[in-house]
Amino acid sequence: MRKGIAFGVAAALAVAAMVLGAFGVLLESGVRAHGTLDRYASAAAVVHGEQSVTYARGSGDNKNSESRPLVEPARVPVALSGALAVVPGVGDVVADFSVPVVAASSGGAVPTLTGHGWDSAKLSPTTLTSGRAPASAHDVVLDAGTAAKLGVHAGSEVRLQLSDAPQTYAVSGISSGGPAATLYFTQQQAATLSGHPDRADALVVQSAAGAHVSASALRHAAPGLDVATGAARGDVEHPAIQAGRTDNLGSAGTLGGAALLVALLVVSGLLELSVRDRTRELAVMRAVGATPRQVRRVIVREMLKIAVPSALVGAVASLGLGAWLKAIMSSQGVLPAGFELSLSPIPVVGSALLTILAAVGTGWLASRRVSKIKPVQALGESAVEPTRPPRWRVITGLVFVVLGAAMLVLTFTVGGPAAQSSVAGLVISLMWAVALLGPWIARIGVRVLGAPLRWLSPISGDLAATSARAAAVRMAAVITPIALALSFGGTQLFAQTTSANATSAEARDGLRAARVLTSSGPGIPHAAYDAARALPGVTDVTAVKRTTVLMPVWNLDTSLQSLQAQGLAGGSAATLDPQLTAGSLAGLNDPGTVALSSAVAHDTKVGGTRQLWLGDGTQVTLKVVALYERGLGFGDVLLPRDLVAAHAATTLDDDLLVNGTGDLSPLTKQFAGLHTATAADYGSTLSEQARHDGLMGLIAVVAIAGFILVGVVTTLGVATASRRRELTLLRLVGATRDQLMRSLRLETVIIVGTGTAVGAAVAGLTLFAFAAGVTGLPMLSIPPLAVAGMVAAVAIPGAAAVLVPGRRILRRRSPRIE
């Protein structure tokens, strides 16, 4: 193999290993991630509710189950403290409550604080530096840092906003040694303020001096609950880590699988070209008596020599790329705070092994044809490229066409989550079909683009079209990565812009409120809802509390889905319009009711019932009172606000939707952090949230697209370098360097033009199906500048990869065939 071609193959394999390993790093971090131990570091164990829901379907041998994480804390009964306290070795059991607090000062609101009961102070080395412990409902102990920010001391007063309007509390003491931004109430007051006085966030078990506490004994004392020990205690203290770990595992696994399929597509075409470049040499080996096995062994050994070092270099570099991706995701809030990076040799070894196997396997498959033909036939075929693809390739390509068509029909017909999950499979199926049926596609591209090129430049245009038509198999190998780059990148990028556009449009069109009250703190006290309704000139107020619920949804088969939901209270119909198709939102004023979007309703009718799990894992069966269309803008599930608040981390609302001309300034002055936004601002916020939710996929797409771009440049460079004999022969028969360079430029137009057309067709078909099945066709959003940028990002490096080595080949004054 020539040095230039070998270098190109090595570079592509190294980047493939680096991308695969980076997703392996994210996957391993998801498996190993645990929250940091702060307040629970001294605990022997933490008893908590199960932070996931398991859904079982079927029976007998056909029984299947799946689990989904919960986003709200699954609380535990405080009454179990007595049973846990008598377990041998237990010294104390602390019922831990957490309450979000906003402290107001003359300079405005300070960052959110977290309130706990005074019993929780013993979980960390908290000591009173001045004052005394809280003794009454309006006593608090502040940590020294917060007290300094607020300018208060023991004996002072401070205004705190919790679940009601700001109230004055007496600072009974100042503490040090504990977590920052923390305050303590009496244990009873903390339980009352949490809204769930009989259920704690967790029961923290502390061992007696020198004693050992058995986790199995704790489980026996608290049946149906989980007992966390060791690093798992951090997951209870930081529940967002556990939910983020599960989401990261799913996303990294899916994107890693897509990266593997993309790498196989790019590497297979590249290695096929590199083997084809040696057809003449391999044919001579067959002519002088080498057996097919010996020829294949030569190819495999050569691939190993290139693949092993390049894969190892790329695999080691994947640790850095994985750390960089994790840092970006953490900085953008995609991963929860405290999500730690885990590095080990596992992703290095795994990505290197996959890359080496792919390289050797592809090289072996590419060498089979030339190793099997007869020696005399081999010498004859070494000078002429094959014009027809193998039968197995055609059959397999047609299978992928049928598979893609089936997924296309599925996307159009089922809609909702099933359609969304089939989009990735659709684009991958179509791209494998393009790769396998590439020679046919190349001939069509030559036929369509060849005629105008001949008209523009009779000699060079005819030479470019004839050369491209004669080398259809080679053309297919270089067209595929171009089409892959545009189809994969376009589908992933514009599916997100389409989804964000649909979310914004549905929220904008469905919002009937003139103004929206939002909070810069942890939320809006529900007392603000009552205060808003009492303001002169205010006609309608709706309180909105967001959450996530779990519900069995039909997706080819019934599966458990995490769905965005909103709890509503008040004049819902006057302030928002989710485009009802049946029923009325007025029914949500009754307990035990639900409204569903058409995407998840399936065959449910108004008056029927649906089973779901609320944010904390509580299973409920609710009566369906309405069906609607705008699930992206308002969530797939609408519930009574009080039902959501009773099973959420806090009782605070997220937004207040207000109609009327009344002055809202008394509210913004009375409640800390409360401010007014217009309906347009509200829609923009939801759109940004939709983009944020897809940020992990977008970052991953950039990494995969970067690898594809390397594959485009490398494949085109290898394809051009392998034409040294062809270009030299044309020089010898009279073609000038200018004619040949012009021919290469025009042939590049055919290659890039065909690849762009195929990639655009695949992306367009996929996005059309996505918009029809998931968002609705009017919501399709494809920014023209982004399209132009993608095409330029592929076409410019691709053209350089053809013209630079071509100019180098034609630079010789006296051409000779090597």
Side-chain angles (χ1 to χ4, degrees):
M1 190 181 294
R2 293 190 182 94
K3 290 183 179 179
I5 296 177
F7 178 78
V9 172
L13 293 176
V15 176
M18 184 169 64
V19 172
L20 291 175
F23 287 109
V25 169
L26 295 178
L27 194 62
E28 184 182 18
S29 297
V31 172
R32 297 176 180 268
H34 288 289
T36 56
L37 280 169
D38 298 319
R39 297 174 53 249
Y40 293 168
S42 63
V46 180
V47 179
H48 64 99
E50 187 176 0
Q51 281 301 129
S52 64
V53 166
T54 300
Y55 174 66
R57 60 186 185 277
S59 60
D61 295 337
N62 296 324
K63 187 175 182 179
N64 295 313
S65 62
E66 56 181 324
S67 296
R68 295 280 181 180
L70 298 174
V71 297
E72 310 283 4
R75 294 182 173 85
V76 297
V78 177
L80 286 174
S81 298
L84 294 171
V86 298
V87 172
V90 173
D92 193 11
V93 178
V94 176
D96 189 33
F97 297 91
S98 296
V99 182
V101 181
V102 172
S105 65
S106 58
V110 299
T112 301
L113 310 176
T114 302
H116 300 284
W118 181 244
D119 288 358
S120 298
K122 65 182 71 172
L123 300 178
S124 54
T126 302
T127 57
L128 284 171
T129 56
S130 62
R132 56 173 176 80
S136 69
H138 281 75
D139 283 352
V140 293
V141 171
L142 294 175
D143 70 277
T146 300
K149 286 182 180 179
L150 296 176
V152 298
H153 52 81
S156 300
E157 292 184 339
V158 63
R159 288 184 62 78
L160 302 177
Q161 178 176 288
L162 296 103
S163 58
D164 210 330
Q167 298 182 21
T168 300
Y169 284 78
V171 180
S172 64
I174 305 297
S175 67
S176 64
T182 300
L183 58 83
Y184 295 98
F185 302 95
T186 63
Q187 187 71 7
Q188 182 178 357
Q189 179 70 355
T192 302
L193 293 173
S194 71
H196 313 85
D198 59 335
R199 301 181 71 85
D201 295 346
L203 298 179
V204 186
V205 178
Q206 293 185 305
S207 61
H212 171 72
V213 180
S214 169
S216 61
L218 293 175
R219 292 188 183 94
H220 181 74
L225 298 178
D226 283 352
V227 177
T229 58
R233 293 170 297 168
D235 296 341
V236 186
E237 188 172 355
H238 304 281
I241 297 293
Q242 186 174 5
R245 178 175 62 201
T246 304
D247 293 340
N248 181 71
L249 283 173
S251 299
T254 301
L255 294 170
L260 178 60
L261 292 175
V262 167
L264 288 175
L265 275 174
V266 174
V267 170
S268 61
L270 177 61
L271 294 181
E272 185 178 358
L273 279 176
S274 66
V275 172
R276 194 174 301 283
D277 178 62
R278 300 189 59 195
T279 301
R280 181 167 174 264
E281 174 189 341
L282 299 175
V284 171
M285 291 177 60
R286 289 286 289 122
V288 298
T291 65
R293 179 176 295 180
Q294 289 174 328
V295 171
R296 290 194 293 269
R297 190 178 299 162
V298 169
I299 294 296
V300 169
R301 286 177 178 174
E302 190 171 70
M303 287 301 173
L304 280 173
K305 289 180 180 179
I306 298 174
V308 170
S310 57
L312 289 176
V313 170
V316 172
S318 70
L319 297 177
L321 178 60
W324 182 67
L325 290 176
K326 185 267 174 187
I328 293 179
M329 293 176 183
S330 296
S331 65
Q332 296 298 319
V334 177
L335 296 176
F339 189 94
E340 298 293 334
L341 180 70
S342 296
L343 298 177
S344 78
I346 295 177
V348 174
V349 175
S351 60
L353 185 60
L354 283 174
T355 304
I356 292 170
L357 290 176
V360 173
T362 304
W364 181 81
L365 288 174
S367 66
R368 288 189 67 213
R369 179 182 175 277
V370 72
S371 66
K372 284 185 175 182
I373 60 178
K374 298 177 181 179
V376 175
Q377 183 185 0
L379 286 175
E381 292 199 6
S382 67
V384 180
E385 293 195 39
T387 57
R388 293 183 179 181
R391 182 176 300 176
W392 69 266
R393 182 168 178 169
V394 175
I395 295 175
T396 308
L398 293 176
V399 169
F400 275 105
V401 170
V402 173
L403 183 61
M407 290 188 175
L408 183 63
V409 172
L410 173 68
T411 304
F412 271 106
T413 54
V414 300
Q420 194 161 5
S421 62
S422 66
V423 167
L426 174 59
V427 69
I428 292 296
S429 297
L430 292 178
M431 279 317 306
W432 272 98
V434 168
L436 293 167
L437 302 178
W440 290 355
I441 296 173
R443 290 192 185 95
I444 295 173
V446 172
R447 187 172 299 174
V448 172
L449 297 177
L453 293 182
R454 288 189 178 96
W455 181 78
L456 289 173
S457 180
I459 297 177
S460 298
D462 183 70
L463 186 61
T466 303
S467 175
R469 185 174 62 252
V473 175
R474 185 195 70 213
M475 281 278 292
V478 296
I479 287 173
T480 298
I482 295 176
L484 179 62
L486 294 174
S487 62
F488 185 82
T491 298
Q492 298 296 324
L493 175 61
F494 300 135
Q496 292 187 23
T497 59
T498 295
S499 180
N501 177 61
T503 300
S504 178
E506 288 190 3
R508 181 181 62 249
D509 295 341
L511 189 63
R512 296 289 180 260
R515 289 168 292 178
V516 180
L517 287 169
T518 61
S519 174
S520 57
I524 304 173
H526 196 57
Y529 165 71
D530 297 323
R533 296 176 65 187
L535 287 175
V538 172
T539 57
D540 300 286
V541 182
T542 299
V544 178
K545 183 169 182 60
R546 299 186 187 89
T547 187
T548 299
V549 300
L550 302 173
M551 189 170 72
V553 177
W554 188 81
N555 181 8
L556 296 183
D557 188 11
T558 302
S559 62
L560 193 64
Q561 300 284 334
S562 297
L563 303 175
Q564 296 299 313
Q566 293 189 17
L568 305 178
S572 305
T575 54
L576 55 87
D577 174 21
Q579 198 171 350
L580 294 175
T581 58
S584 170
L585 292 182
L588 293 177
N589 292 324
D590 299 327
T593 56
V594 65
L596 302 175
S597 75
S598 58
V600 300
H602 191 38
D603 57 356
T604 304
K605 307 296 182 182
V606 171
T609 60
R610 283 296 290 267
Q611 180 188 83
L612 57 84
W613 286 263
L614 299 171
D616 64 349
T618 300
Q619 184 177 357
V620 292
T621 300
L622 305 175
K623 179 183 177 181
V624 178
V625 297
L627 301 175
Y628 57 94
E629 291 291 336
R630 292 172 175 151
L632 288 173
F634 297 98
D636 287 312
V637 180
L638 299 179
L639 298 163
R641 181 264 171 200
D642 291 342
L643 178 63
V644 172
H647 299 274
T650 74
T651 60
L652 303 176
D653 295 326
D654 291 298
D655 302 302
L656 296 180
L657 311 181
V658 182
N659 269 337
T661 58
D663 182 15
L664 300 181
S665 60
L667 284 180
T668 57
K669 293 177 181 178
Q670 181 182 5
F671 294 92
L674 196 64
H675 56 85
T676 306
T678 64
D681 293 336
Y682 184 71
S684 299
T685 301
L686 292 180
S687 179
E688 285 300 318
Q689 182 61 43
R691 291 190 178 92
H692 179 272
D693 292 341
L695 191 58
M696 180 172 184
L698 183 60
I699 293 172
V701 166
V702 171
I704 296 175
F707 163 66
I708 297 175
L709 187 58
V710 171
V712 169
V713 173
T714 305
T715 303
L716 289 172
V718 168
T720 305
S722 65
R723 300 176 61 189
R724 183 184 301 271
R725 288 174 55 83
E726 173 192 341
L727 296 175
T728 303
L729 180 60
L730 290 172
R731 285 285 311 280
L732 290 173
V733 298
T736 65
R737 279 183 293 183
D738 290 341
Q739 288 175 331
L740 292 177
M741 283 302 301
R742 192 179 301 115
S743 173
L744 285 176
R745 294 190 193 100
L746 296 177
E747 192 173 336
T748 303
V749 172
I750 296 175
I751 294 171
V752 175
T754 304
T756 301
V758 173
V762 172
L765 186 62
T766 306
L767 290 170
F768 184 81
F770 175 82
V774 179
T775 67
L777 287 179
M779 306 301 181
L780 189 61
S781 175
I782 303 179
L785 289 178
V787 174
M790 288 182 60
V791 173
V794 174
I796 294 175
V802 173
L803 298 178
V804 171
R807 184 178 295 277
R808 186 173 300 172
I809 292 172
L810 297 173
R811 188 180 297 169
R812 292 180 176 176
R813 293 181 178 272
S814 301
R816 63 180 184 274
I817 297 179
E818 297 176 351

